[in-house]
Amino acid sequence: MSREQLAVERARKAFLTGRSTVLENRIRQLKNLKRLLVERQQEIAEASKKDLNRSEVGIQLYETLTLEVEINLAIKKLKEWAAPRPVAKNLLTMADTVYIKPQPLGVVLIIGAWNYPWAVTIQPLIGAIASGNAAVVKPSEVCVHSAKVMEELLPLYIDKELYPVVTGGVPETQELLRQRFDHIFYTGNCTVGRIIMEAAAKHLTPVTLELGGKSPCYIDKNCDISMACRRITWGKYSNCGQTCIAPDYILCEPSIQDRVIQEVQKSIKELYTENPKGCPDYGRIINQRHFRRIMAMTEDSAIAVGGENDESDCYIAPTILRDVKAESKVMQEEIFGPLLPVVPIGGLGDAIHFINQREKPLALYIFSHDNKVIQRLIDETSSGGVLANDCLVHFSVSSLPFGGVGNSGMGCYHGKFTFDQLSHLRGCLIKKLNMEGSNSMRYPPHTHKRLGWARFFLLSDLDLGWLGRLAFIAALVAVAAVVLQNYMA
Ligand code: NAD
């Protein structure tokens, strides 16, 4: 039996003991996970420095702090999330108990990506634990050091049978994918997303795919361009552009292109100094394969700012490309690096057309003072999420679902959405073995009179306010019981 098979089998066996579903145990595991994040900050930071040149503060700000927030929320809300959820009744279910019961799915496979290894791997795990599942955790092999730390530390803090870590690359992941899971939660690129979905189809396993894409950023010519560019600079060059929701390219009218470039350049100096290479807050490209992929994208575009690079150090300076055409290399796929193309466009209508001609992105950014412009972009385009007048921060709002649409992914998570995503929302209807008269309308012989009653009960849509409704329903139930009992049969 392979290592991967063994991990899945053990996780399933542990799940079947029922211990993952006990609320107190879920909370204990979550608290232990939080303890890991706090107590082992040093090891986490050192690995992140080696993988992506993140600073010690940077890893907390961009990854572990959000995880602590998510854990706190899950601990605080778990009882409420896991409780039966009463739902609306109709005239026919008035006397019944009707509710939704969230239940664990079983064993979840979590496959993480390398760019924010802790955030994208541990955040789904928080939801998996909260919703009472077992979970096999597969960190990305590309962030070598972070994966190793995760493999070493998780078993020291949380139940290692319920939540085993399996490390490895493509062969190991594919071996995992041959096993049967109850849900697969994948973060990464679209190509592998298709492989995941194909493997999942064999067992009819549901999937969440957190993918990427080219997230557009529209700048309205009447907005505060200086402020907009400062926020865009931060959103684009954080983690050296290796952020799934980084603004991929700018759409703006030609009349403001020069100003936009100047302002982004000014902000680059402000945030990353005159020499970003020596700035502790400026990252590195994850490896040389990605370095070469990104540099090749600059070939047919004009570099307005930056462009300096050093392959041996995986360094690419914050770079702005000007007068970029839709056909240029940099516009063909997600950049996932520190290149910011500016694509001049006729105006709002053209920007909407440009966005709608392409795959649905993970995020859409709009910078405008005008609420009508913001609303029009929201109404006439589609994307996983929308953020107006800022970048990235919608990721940290636990009350918003985070996920893609179309090519940018399926399913969503964060806060209660992760809990629901990894739960089966079981519909429960509990009737009593009386009031048989009310069932006559569905039993044969099927007469027009009975159909008339069925239409009345199912189609009545009276809105009398809740007090009036209550009084009306009580009277109706009493009358219906008598009528049905005596005359309908
Ligand atoms: P990656 O190379 O780390 O791959 C992700 C995972 O897929 C890894 O665990 C890897 O082992 C596995 N994998 C790779 N090839 C495989 C194969 N052939 N068969 C089975 N498994 C395989 O990460 P990546 O794909 O380079 O990540 C970057 C992409 O992820 C970008 O497109 C980015 O936008 C996206 N992303 C999305 C989110 C989100 O929340 N939506 C977050 C982070 C990254």
Side-chain angles (χ1 to χ4, degrees):
M1 191 181 280
S2 67
R3 189 172 64 107
E4 293 75 24
Q5 239 175 328
L6 203 65
V8 182
E9 194 162 287
R10 277 205 198 127
R12 183 154 315 271
K13 216 163 138 195
F15 175 76
L16 291 174
T17 64
R19 66 180 188 263
S20 67
T21 63
V22 179
L23 283 191
E24 294 71 30
N25 193 32
R26 300 188 208 182
I27 289 174
R28 195 173 324 118
Q29 298 296 327
L30 289 170
K31 284 185 176 163
N32 288 346
L33 190 54
K34 188 171 156 192
R35 210 156 49 74
L36 180 162
L37 297 172
V38 175
E39 289 177 3
R40 302 303 186 121
Q41 196 57 59
Q42 196 63 32
E43 282 128 294
I44 294 172
E46 277 164 18
S48 190
K49 173 88 185 155
K50 287 183 197 153
D51 284 329
L52 289 150
N53 195 37
R54 285 262 182 78
S55 71
E56 195 180 331
V57 176
I59 172 82
Q60 292 192 43
L61 204 58
Y62 290 92
E63 298 206 58
T64 53
L65 182 58
T66 320
L67 295 175
E68 285 183 56
V69 171
E70 284 273 315
I71 292 176
N72 285 352
L73 182 73
I75 291 173
K76 189 169 155 212
K77 295 279 183 181
L78 190 56
K79 242 177 140 176
E80 182 189 318
W81 292 348
R85 305 173 190 177
V87 295
K89 299 183 188 185
N90 62 21
L91 287 180
L92 282 175
T93 54
M94 208 41 70
D96 304 333
T97 308
V98 197
Y99 63 92
I100 295 167
K101 172 77 183 144
Q103 286 193 315
L105 293 168
V107 184
V108 175
L109 171 60
I110 297 169
I111 304 177
W114 52 265
N115 58 332
Y116 291 91
W118 288 84
V120 304
T121 318
I122 302 302
Q123 196 149 333
L125 177 64
I126 293 167
I129 295 174
S131 48
N133 295 290
V136 176
V137 180
K138 214 307 275 169
S140 171
E141 71 282 14
V142 180
C143 49
V144 183
H145 302 96
S146 301
K148 192 156 175 284
V149 170
M150 227 178 270
E151 184 185 24
E152 282 167 9
L153 295 187
L154 278 179
L156 301 180
Y157 284 81
I158 56 174
D159 190 323
K160 56 178 185 283
E161 283 166 352
L162 275 174
Y163 319 110
V165 181
V166 174
T167 51
V170 175
E172 289 79 5
T173 316
Q174 294 195 338
E175 174 62 8
L176 276 174
L177 288 171
R178 278 188 277 277
Q179 314 309 311
R180 183 174 182 156
F181 289 94
D182 300 290
H183 193 100
I184 300 177
F185 196 112
Y186 167 79
T187 303
N189 66 69
C190 295
T191 312
V192 177
R194 289 188 184 90
I195 296 174
I196 304 289
M197 217 169 157
E198 213 176 309
K202 293 210 178 81
H203 298 291
L204 282 181
T205 300
V207 292
T208 303
L209 300 180
E210 294 290 337
L211 311 176
K214 290 182 88 61
S215 296
C217 177
Y218 176 72
I219 307 180
D220 183 5
K221 66 171 183 277
N222 298 319
C223 82
D224 178 341
I225 293 176
S226 171
M227 183 67 79
C229 289
R230 195 160 190 265
R231 294 180 185 185
I232 292 167
T233 303
W234 173 72
K236 180 69 188 190
Y237 301 111
S238 289
N239 203 26
C240 213
Q242 301 163 112
T243 305
C244 58
I245 45 172
D248 191 274
Y249 59 93
I250 288 175
L251 292 173
C252 66
E253 290 188 29
S255 61
I256 63 165
Q257 178 175 224
D258 286 342
R259 176 89 203 284
V260 165
I261 292 172
Q262 274 167 20
E263 290 294 341
V264 174
Q265 184 175 25
K266 204 170 105 194
S267 297
I268 291 171
K269 282 191 189 142
E270 196 188 321
L271 303 187
Y272 301 109
T273 75
E274 293 273 358
N275 175 27
K277 198 174 183 188
C279 174
D281 293 317
Y282 190 69
R284 292 294 182 271
I285 304 303
I286 185 74
N287 57 33
Q288 271 144 358
R289 181 171 65 85
H290 280 281
F291 173 92
R292 287 192 283 268
R293 179 187 63 77
I294 296 163
M295 286 310 297
M297 286 185 181
T298 63
E299 279 164 14
D300 57 352
S301 291
I303 293 178
V305 173
E308 302 82 12
N309 62 88
D310 176 355
E311 184 167 348
S312 65
D313 189 22
C314 283
Y315 170 75
I316 301 176
T319 298
I320 310 172
L321 306 172
R322 63 171 303 133
D323 290 310
V324 173
K325 306 257 178 319
E327 312 75 49
S328 45
K329 286 187 181 163
V330 75
M331 291 305 290
Q332 304 316 308
E333 56 173 82
E334 180 181 2
I335 299 170
F336 224 54
L339 313 178
L340 181 59
V342 182
V343 182
I345 202 99
L348 181 60
D350 284 358
I352 291 172
H353 181 67
F354 192 93
I355 294 164
N356 288 340
Q357 273 184 320
R358 288 161 174 76
E359 296 292 355
K360 291 176 182 172
L362 185 57
L364 170 64
Y365 298 108
I366 312 157
F367 285 85
S368 177
H369 286 307
D370 187 347
N371 200 34
K372 284 203 199 85
V373 171
I374 296 172
Q375 285 309 321
R376 200 173 149 206
L377 265 155
I378 293 177
D379 290 346
E380 296 182 25
T381 62
S382 175
S383 64
V386 178
L387 174 53
N389 296 323
D390 210 338
C391 284
L392 312 188
V393 293
H394 61 302
F395 184 89
S396 61
V397 182
S398 303
S399 50
L400 284 175
F402 182 84
V405 56
N407 250 49
S408 53
M410 61 183 70
C412 62
Y413 74 136
H414 289 196
K416 182 164 180 274
F417 297 100
T418 325
F419 182 93
D420 283 356
Q421 184 80 167
L422 298 177
S423 295
H424 170 52
L425 299 180
R426 192 178 194 186
C428 302
L429 172 62
I430 300 176
K431 297 179 85 74
K432 295 196 176 65
L433 274 168
N434 58 12
M435 300 273 292
E436 183 63 350
S438 63
N439 294 332
S440 310
M441 70 184 101
R442 61 176 147 100
Y443 293 149
H446 297 312
T447 64
H448 283 288
K449 189 173 169 194
R450 288 178 177 195
L451 177 63
W453 278 108
R455 289 185 64 82
F456 170 75
F457 275 96
L458 291 171
L459 295 176
S460 292
D461 186 17
L462 299 165
D463 195 3
L464 309 168
W466 77 265
L467 238 160
R469 218 164 27 234
L470 212 70
F472 172 77
I473 286 162
L476 200 69
V477 169
V479 172
V482 174
V483 169
L484 294 169
Q485 207 70 44
N486 296 322
Y487 304 108
M488 257 190 49

